[in-house]
Amino acid sequence: MEHQDQQNKSYVLPIAMMFALFFMISFVTGLQNPFGVIVKNQFMASNLESQLGNLANFIAYAFMGIPAGQMLQRIGYKKTALAAIAVGFVGVCVTFLSGSVGSFGVYLAGAFISGFSMCMLNVVVNPMLNTLGGGGKRGNQLLQFGGAINSIGATIVPVLVGYLIGTISSETSIANANPALFLAMGIFALAFVVLALMQIPEPHSAVKEKDSNDKHSPLSFRHFILGAVAIFLYVGIEVGIPNIANLFMTSSSDMNGLAMDTTIAGSVVGTYWFLMFIGRLTGGSLGAKFSSKAMLTFVSSLGLLFVILAILMPTDQMVNMPVFQSDISFAFAKVPVSIMFLILCGLCTSIMWGGIFNLATEGLGKYTAAASGIFMVMVCGGGILPALQGWAADAFGYIQSYWVIVLALIYLLFYALAGSKNVNTDIDVK
């Protein structure tokens, strides 16, 4: 009994470190949202082109997902995380360099390198937290709390960068956001040192090498394949909603000639991520009481309702909405009622990741580590779907582009209700 208590106590630091890595993932990934507004102005980019940095960041997952899963199996959690942090530091440095030289190509390269790092970190933190929680409802609960920390980073970024760049002008460039990049470099450097000195449990180190005669893989499970598609669409939903909303609010053509100041627009977008934080805290609290299936069904349905209302509401109908500001206080901002419904979607997207990951890996046993790598490949949806939505915004207008999100949410509802059932229970997973 005493040994068990010691074991539980020893997990506190690893869990805290995983939470810190969750923060870093969202902070660096979140830079692409306000940077989309900057590069649209600095390089005279279209809506589609403004999402290319985001696309580069997420498409890296398609290249790195499987190798990162293999790294996890071969060198373990700690070394994979340290390698990821080093790559992330380089990526942010390249983004900083793009501001100095004023190059769109260098900016895309920085986003791509950062994406490699974020993919590797995600491969570590998700199965690690799920394992430390023992899977099931407790694993889902830890993933929701990790997601809440993730949302804090995502909340800070658009508000901070919006504050740094102020009103968009012909002089606005990536260099204006340098303080945010310096902060990211500092976080990476500190995390590297702390993690290097810390002991991290390696739950899969005792697992035997995969039997070469094993005919099965994570792809042998129908609920995992459908879950991988769900993750692809979910990340696209989570990123696309605030990214396109930011472009919409700062565009005078779609805002009846009254484009919002980037500081206010950044605060509105920051509020979306803040609501994700609230949703994940709530999800973490309720995770032990409600199944992932019930939670995913509820938030997919509510998200559908919000997005459809946003599309159908007149864009000239304004409402005063409380927004999260750079000085960590709340104030009212006048926004179209459509934007308010889109921002409220943060409450829905908040718990989707943990719920889908938990449902899709349930019952996978020894195939879980490999499954995590495949999952990371599908995160590239966070770049592909917003780019597709950016194209739709160029072709049909910002608000009409949200039909892309509606279709994706319908699939998530299907997955929650039917697709998540494990119909391959006959496969040996020990």
Side-chain angles (χ1 to χ4, degrees):
M1 186 71 184
E2 189 181 338
H3 172 70
Q4 194 176 359
D5 286 344
Q6 283 176 340
Q7 199 176 30
N8 288 339
K9 279 178 193 170
S10 70
Y11 285 172
V12 173
L13 267 180
I15 288 170
M17 194 66 218
M18 293 305 117
F19 284 170
L21 295 181
F22 254 121
F23 177 89
M24 292 164 61
I25 291 167
S26 64
F27 190 90
V28 176
T29 304
L31 286 171
Q32 303 312 321
N33 179 316
F35 278 17
V37 176
I38 295 174
V39 299
K40 188 180 178 186
N41 173 77
Q42 186 179 354
F43 304 109
M44 294 298 153
S46 67
N47 289 311
L48 171 59
E49 288 166 341
S50 75
Q51 295 302 300
L52 289 181
N54 185 65
L55 176 62
N57 192 269
F58 279 101
I59 209 73
Y61 283 77
F63 293 93
M64 197 61 205
I66 302 291
Q70 290 171 340
M71 279 178 73
L72 189 64
Q73 289 172 295
R74 286 179 189 162
I75 64 174
Y77 285 96
K78 182 173 176 176
K79 288 178 182 173
T80 305
L82 287 171
I85 293 167
V87 172
F89 187 86
V90 172
V92 176
C93 286
V94 173
T95 303
F96 164 73
L97 185 65
S98 75
S100 303
V101 299
S103 165
F104 188 59
V106 175
Y107 159 68
L108 293 180
F112 188 66
I113 295 167
S114 295
F116 274 108
S117 169
M118 300 308 101
C119 175
M120 292 161 74
L121 285 177
N122 261 313
V123 165
V124 173
V125 298
N126 286 285
M128 188 73 198
L129 274 183
N130 205 31
T131 301
L132 291 173
K137 288 181 180 176
R138 171 76 177 143
N140 181 35
Q141 191 175 30
L142 272 185
L143 282 169
Q144 298 301 348
F145 280 131
I149 306 293
N150 184 279
S151 298
I152 293 174
T155 301
I156 291 169
V157 173
V159 179
L160 175 64
V161 178
Y163 171 75
L164 290 172
I165 62 180
T167 304
I168 284 279
S169 70
S170 56
E171 302 298 313
T172 303
S173 75
I174 292 169
N176 290 97
N178 278 350
L181 297 175
F182 294 148
L183 180 60
M185 289 181 209
I187 294 170
F188 274 125
L190 179 65
F192 187 91
V193 173
V194 173
L195 186 61
L197 299 172
M198 183 183 287
Q199 278 201 319
I200 294 279
E202 301 284 350
H204 296 294
S205 59
V207 177
K208 293 176 190 171
E209 278 293 309
K210 188 181 172 186
D211 183 1
S212 56
N213 297 322
D214 192 348
K215 295 173 185 174
H216 298 295
S217 75
L219 298 176
S220 305
F221 297 83
R222 191 198 73 167
H223 75 290
F224 173 74
I225 295 171
L226 295 177
V229 175
I231 279 290
F232 176 90
L233 294 172
Y234 155 68
V235 186
I237 293 166
E238 180 197 284
V239 175
I241 289 175
N243 277 21
I244 303 302
N246 206 352
L247 293 172
F248 170 62
M249 288 184 286
T250 52
S251 165
S252 56
S253 59
D254 274 54
M255 281 287 287
N256 309 306
L258 298 169
M260 286 170 65
D261 184 85
T262 49
T263 307
I264 299 169
S267 296
V268 174
V269 170
T271 305
Y272 168 88
W273 297 105
F274 180 76
L275 288 176
M276 281 190 71
F277 166 66
I278 298 297
R280 282 169 169 170
L281 271 186
T282 308
S285 306
L286 300 175
K289 295 175 186 172
F290 295 95
S291 69
S292 298
K293 179 177 178 175
M295 290 167 78
L296 187 60
T297 302
F298 176 73
V299 294
S300 300
S301 304
L302 190 61
L304 260 174
L305 176 65
F306 284 154
V307 177
I308 290 171
L309 281 172
I311 295 170
L312 299 179
M313 286 288 181
T315 54
D316 58 355
Q317 190 174 331
M318 307 295 279
V319 64
N320 275 321
M321 175 184 152
V323 297
F324 186 83
Q325 296 189 116
S326 56
D327 61 355
I328 319 181
S329 69
F330 285 91
F332 284 94
K334 205 164 199 175
V335 299
V337 69
S338 298
I339 290 292
M340 185 189 74
F341 280 118
L342 292 173
I343 298 305
L344 283 172
C345 287
L347 289 169
C348 305
T349 54
S350 58
I351 61 170
M352 288 178 176
W353 173 275
I356 296 168
F357 187 90
N358 189 259
L359 285 169
T361 57
E362 196 66 32
L364 259 58
K366 65 182 178 183
Y367 301 108
T368 303
S372 186
I374 296 170
F375 247 62
M376 290 311 115
V377 171
M378 302 310 284
V379 170
C380 66
I384 294 170
L385 215 67
L388 177 64
Q389 199 184 344
W391 167 82
D394 284 328
F396 310 108
Y398 290 106
I399 292 297
Q400 294 306 313
S401 74
Y402 280 92
W403 284 112
V404 173
I405 302 295
V406 168
L407 293 174
L409 282 167
I410 289 171
Y411 179 86
L412 291 195
L413 185 57
F414 150 75
Y415 182 69
L417 292 172
S420 57
K421 187 175 189 231
N422 185 359
V423 295
N424 305 103
T425 49
D426 54 320
I427 298 173
D428 180 25
V429 295
K430 290 178 184 173

